[in-house]
Amino acid sequence: MNVGVAHSEVNPNTRVMNSRGMWLTYGLGVGMLHVVLLSIPFFSVPVAWTLTNVIHNLGMYVFLHAVKGTPFETPDQGKARLLTHWEQLDYGVQFTSSRKFFTISPIILYFLASFYTKYDPTHFILNTTSLLTVLIPKMPQLHGVRIFGINKY
Amino acid sequence: MANPSAVCNGHLHHHHQKQNNLLKSGIYKKNGITKGMKKNGISNGTLYKKTFIEHFEQAPMYVAVLTFLGFGVGTIFGYLRDFMRAWGLEKRNIAEEREQQKDFVPLYQDFENFYTRNLYMRIRDNWNRPICSVPGPQFDLMERVTDDYNWTFRFTGRIIKNVINMGSYNYLGFAETDVNALKTVTIELQKYGTGICSTRQEMGTLDKHIELEKLVAKFLGVEDAMVFGMGFATNSMNIPALVGKGCLILSDELNHTSLVLGARLSGATIRIFKHNNMQSLEKLLRDAIIYGQPRSRRAWRKIIILVEGIYSMEGSIVRLPEIVSLKKKYKAYLYLDEAHSIGAVGATGRGVVEYFGMSPDDVDVLMGTFTKSFGAAGGYIAGKKDLVDFLRTHSHSAVYATSMCPPVAEQIIRAMKCLMGLDGTTQGLQRVRQLGKNTRYFRRRLHEMGFIIYGNDDSPVVPLLLYMPGKIGAFARRMLGKNIGVVVVGFPATPITESRARFCVSAAHTREMLDTVSTA
């Protein structure tokens, strides 16, 4: 069982987000998360929206910007070992459609959350900081940058 | 060279046909549209002598969503189990370093093993199954059970008999132990023994090799051929001898690892074109010729196109007529790896060159293996005499690798003679016809049952798409429960949404066996 035995794609992780149905699955996943949160009786609607936003951004940060490398061995001799999944997407080419989609979706979630929380100050601070944690690593200037050496190796 | 009028026709109509291609058959692979060349009535007639139907149907969207959900659930559970293993709540079954070594810098990144640990281990019992009989249309399996969820196996000692074999590349059914059939092989075994113990250039060229090479050249209709002991090594040792630095290799997306390894070892620049996509190939050729080498803009020393006859994971057949006309137009070389197609396609089993009705002079380097249709081991490279003479002196395999052993060579000789009809019977032709019949029947039945099958209608490799990760394990186990052995593959050897089970139809399968498999 080895990577790349049936195709010459060196790192299949780069193509996962472009696969057919991935965006839809992602949207459905976020929708389901929100519905689950809404159905908990203790949370009011603004709290549910803020929680959706925060949990979604947390998950996105962990899986796209914190975890490095690939879950399988690749024949590229470890070029992708120190790269996060975001940096691996499309072999580092910026502004591809997957990157644009995953940049825009937290922004849309942020708009919805701000609307449903009626622009309340506490919720605003929470949502904005959470959005920034997920938007800043996506900027092309920060490709491969590790601030203060966090997550370098 | 080839028939001049065909070449002229190919040139004249080629552009026209490509325009039609773009308009009618839509764009490239996997967009749900049948790539039916038959629909382009006019322009088709000159290049393709019969209809070329390939399907790469797409599954409905809900299947893709469920596949991703399956992988997502698997990943979450994987993280959970890793967490429990790290905190000692669960036993660690995989190899660990010694206590004294725990402070050293780690050799491996543990995340790289994530997929193997958490997903592959769960369904590991479907691969590496030991068999204990000849892999003919049926074989015997050693039964093995696991007590700790596939981390270790033990053999019960029982043997499951007569499992229908849908995984071996036994296309013409030459993997047999019939004493009469193997008579000449046993004679040669008594005469020559089993080992050669030498390379081709030292003491390892026997009269058997010369005989075999002449026979292969006659079979394919070329000037000369050279045989090597190992099929994988034929590719990986000879491509470096043919191309080097300053050359350009254009290789198909889904080429086999041996071709990829040979290309990487050669030091040439490699560019990849989309699978069987002639527009992509032409664009690459044009760019290569216009822009030359990357920084110096010099012309490339050589441009070589690497393709396979039948792609073993997709079941698709290469579009040889178009590639040949492209290669002539842009003056590139063509290397055709007929590992799966030699003996399996074509009216008399001579491979894709015969299947498309073309002359073997059109292809510069014909390569193939004897492992699949001939029931032996080894590979060959055939072509013009100058090419083969060059390889006899310059091939890495000729200098350093031992040559083919004589009983195996005799097996190939007898299989090839049978196929060519030189042994006086029509058995060879019957086998080829039987294979064609079995292929068409099997594909039609599976298609009627509503499964999604990839590939060309004439290829004996039948990938059946399974999609979901859970189904990979379930399908293989269920099939084994019904005494059928299949090969399943999943991510990352295939794209993430396209895990599949791959059936290899053989001439030795009877209709009842095929029926049993389809209804199972």
Side-chain angles (χ1 to χ4, degrees):
Chain A
M1 198 224 68
N2 237 332
V3 187
V5 287
H7 53 86
S8 36
E9 182 74 71
V10 166
N11 185 358
N13 239 359
T14 54
R15 301 275 168 233
V16 163
M17 293 298 174
N18 293 337
S19 319
R20 186 174 168 259
M22 176 54 107
W23 293 5
L24 181 61
T25 314
Y26 163 78
L28 286 175
V30 174
M32 221 171 64
L33 167 69
H34 183 63
V35 164
V36 163
L37 283 174
L38 272 181
S39 47
I40 300 177
F42 312 111
F43 298 149
S44 63
V45 171
V47 171
W49 272 104
T50 306
L51 268 181
T52 310
N53 197 17
V54 167
I55 293 178
H56 163 263
N57 288 347
L58 199 61
M60 184 179 253
Y61 181 77
V62 166
F63 284 109
L64 286 186
H65 301 287
V67 167
K68 295 195 301 289
T70 53
F72 32 76
E73 289 182 9
T74 52
D76 67 347
Q77 297 176 338
K79 284 196 189 112
R81 257 182 225 147
L82 294 178
L83 296 178
T84 61
H85 193 189
W86 180 258
E87 287 158 3
Q88 284 174 34
L89 281 185
D90 296 313
Y91 294 107
V93 172
Q94 298 294 332
F95 307 121
T96 60
S97 30
S98 284
R99 284 185 188 239
K100 285 189 243 185
F101 176 76
F102 284 108
T103 315
I104 292 175
S105 66
I107 297 176
I108 294 184
L109 209 53
Y110 174 72
F111 286 157
L112 288 169
S114 324
F115 173 71
Y116 280 103
T117 60
K118 300 186 178 52
Y119 308 102
D120 177 71
T122 355
H123 287 267
F124 170 75
I125 294 176
L126 272 173
N127 284 330
T128 313
T129 37
S130 158
L131 177 71
L132 285 176
T133 64
V134 115
L135 271 194
I136 292 179
K138 294 191 163 65
M139 284 164 41
Q141 288 78 6
L142 284 175
H143 181 95
V145 170
R146 305 273 183 261
I147 307 175
F148 298 132
I150 302 174
N151 211 16
K152 193 162 178 196
Y153 293 118
Chain B
M1 274 271 271
N3 194 353
S5 58
V7 169
C8 281
N9 268 343
H11 274 276
L12 277 175
H13 288 274
H14 183 70
H15 193 66
H16 178 58
Q17 180 204 22
K18 268 188 358 338
Q19 295 296 79
N20 266 346
N21 248 352
L22 274 174
L23 291 172
K24 293 217 177 135
S25 63
I27 328 226
Y28 316 116
K29 188 170 95 137
K30 293 178 189 157
N31 58 355
I33 302 176
T34 309
K35 296 184 71 136
M37 295 290 283
K38 65 182 173 177
K39 301 214 171 62
N40 311 342
I42 308 164
S43 44
N44 199 9
T46 50
L47 277 189
Y48 285 84
K49 306 221 167 49
K50 57 176 153 176
T51 57
F52 185 91
I53 309 170
E54 266 187 2
H55 303 274
F56 294 104
E57 219 182 297
Q58 269 188 327
M61 190 58 108
Y62 72 88
V63 171
V65 171
L66 284 174
T67 313
F68 285 121
L69 284 179
F71 274 110
V73 168
T75 315
I76 294 180
F77 271 96
Y79 276 116
L80 177 70
R81 300 287 286 269
D82 275 351
F83 174 75
M84 293 194 346
R85 274 189 273 257
W87 283 81
L89 296 168
E90 192 178 321
K91 195 164 67 132
R92 295 172 199 175
N93 281 320
I94 212 165
E96 263 185 73
E97 71 255 274
R98 302 197 312 256
E99 260 319 304
Q100 303 93 319
Q101 288 176 328
K102 282 201 196 288
D103 286 330
F104 293 2
V105 175
L107 279 174
Y108 298 101
Q109 197 189 38
D110 65 350
F111 189 52
E112 271 188 352
N113 210 8
F114 183 85
Y115 187 77
T116 315
R117 251 195 331 261
N118 295 311
L119 272 80
Y120 175 68
M121 280 296 175
R122 289 168 188 258
I123 44 177
R124 195 163 78 113
D125 59 320
N126 298 314
W127 288 282
N128 299 330
R129 292 184 185 142
I131 66 175
C132 48
S133 74
V134 68
Q138 288 177 329
F139 55 57
D140 303 333
L141 261 188
M142 291 178 75
E143 194 189 17
R144 58 181 187 170
V145 293
T146 172
D147 301 316
D148 49 359
Y149 300 106
N150 287 346
W151 287 95
T152 56
F153 293 106
R154 65 184 165 84
F155 295 106
T156 59
R158 219 164 62 92
I159 297 183
I160 310 176
K161 289 215 165 288
N162 285 339
V163 180
I164 299 181
N165 182 3
M166 293 306 287
S168 292
Y169 306 131
N170 186 16
Y171 296 133
L172 292 177
F174 279 117
E176 54 197 359
T177 44
D178 180 26
V179 178
N180 284 334
L182 293 181
K183 212 170 6 186
T184 45
V185 180
T186 28
I187 295 175
E188 299 301 324
L189 183 59
Q190 308 281 20
K191 187 168 154 199
Y192 287 102
T194 47
I196 291 255
C197 314
S198 180
T199 68
R200 283 298 292 259
Q201 287 192 354
E202 291 172 12
M203 302 261 205
T205 305
L206 303 180
D207 53 351
K208 273 270 154 264
H209 294 135
I210 311 286
E211 188 189 337
L212 176 57
E213 285 168 6
K214 286 209 179 70
L215 193 58
V216 170
K218 191 162 150 206
F219 179 68
L220 294 169
V222 288
E223 287 177 22
D224 203 357
M226 183 175 177
V227 300
F228 303 94
M230 186 178 161
F232 185 103
T234 311
N235 271 330
S236 46
M237 297 291 114
N238 286 310
I239 297 180
L242 292 173
V243 288
K245 209 150 170 287
C247 302
L248 176 64
I249 294 183
L250 297 174
S251 117
D252 191 291
E253 214 178 11
L254 300 175
N255 267 341
H256 189 254
T257 320
S258 55
L259 289 165
V260 173
L261 184 61
R264 284 194 194 150
L265 281 174
S266 67
T269 313
I270 309 176
R271 304 232 170 111
I272 298 179
F273 63 93
K274 293 207 181 355
H275 178 59
N276 242 358
N277 187 333
M278 296 301 114
Q279 285 85 353
S280 171
L281 177 59
E282 178 157 22
K283 180 169 188 310
L284 281 181
L285 275 167
R286 290 177 82 97
D287 285 346
I289 294 183
I290 294 171
Y291 294 113
Q293 297 191 28
R295 262 172 276 185
S296 60
R297 297 283 196 219
R298 271 183 237 173
W300 295 99
R301 281 174 44 211
K302 247 184 269 196
I303 301 182
I304 192 166
I305 306 174
L306 290 182
V307 282
E308 290 189 33
I310 293 186
Y311 292 91
S312 60
M313 273 304 157
E314 302 280 311
S316 51
I317 298 186
V318 66
R319 292 174 184 275
L320 196 60
E322 290 178 61
I323 293 191
V324 168
S325 63
L326 271 180
K327 119 179 158 70
K328 286 188 181 138
K329 182 173 171 190
Y330 292 104
K331 300 202 176 41
Y333 294 106
L334 181 58
Y335 183 109
L336 180 65
D337 176 349
E338 291 206 76
H340 287 266
S341 52
I342 189 76
V345 287
T348 56
R350 278 161 167 78
V352 279
V353 171
E354 189 189 18
Y355 177 74
F356 286 112
M358 312 187 61
S359 142
D361 293 331
D362 290 334
V363 182
D364 300 295
V365 188
L366 283 154
M367 178 263 168
T369 58
F370 300 116
T371 358
K372 322 284 189 322
S373 306
F374 296 98
Y380 67 85
I381 289 205
K384 296 253 171 338
K385 193 164 181 340
D386 300 331
L387 169 73
V388 180
D389 284 342
F390 175 82
L391 280 180
R392 282 193 217 279
T393 40
H394 287 87
S395 160
H396 299 223
S397 163
V399 186
Y400 294 111
T402 51
S403 43
M404 192 185 270
C405 69
V408 173
E410 178 55 37
Q411 155 74 2
I412 303 168
I413 292 177
R414 90 149 175 104
M416 223 174 237
K417 282 195 177 147
C418 175
L419 203 47
M420 289 164 78
L422 289 176
D423 60 344
T425 68
T426 53
Q427 209 198 40
L429 211 48
Q430 274 174 349
R431 283 178 192 248
V432 177
R433 296 260 165 82
Q434 181 68 27
L435 176 65
K437 272 202 300 228
N438 281 353
T439 309
R440 279 192 294 275
Y441 177 68
F442 193 56
R443 274 182 177 266
R444 215 187 56 223
R445 282 236 30 191
L446 286 182
H447 201 67
E448 276 164 19
M449 291 180 152
F451 290 114
I452 296 185
I453 317 269
Y454 268 16
N456 197 307
D457 274 347
D458 284 322
S459 100
V461 176
V462 186
L464 186 141
L465 270 290
L466 291 175
Y467 300 107
M468 291 169 218
K471 273 198 190 171
I472 306 175
F475 185 78
R477 286 180 197 143
R478 186 107 188 255
M479 279 293 177
L480 187 59
K482 302 197 177 188
N483 260 7
I484 302 171
V486 293
V487 173
V488 289
V489 265
F491 183 73
T494 61
I496 187 169
T497 38
E498 291 169 22
S499 8
R500 59 198 69 179
R502 187 186 63 186
F503 297 107
C504 294
V505 183
S506 158
H509 283 137
T510 61
R511 194 160 272 222
E512 294 91 49
M513 286 188 212
L514 295 180
D515 279 336
T516 326
V517 174
S518 7
T519 49

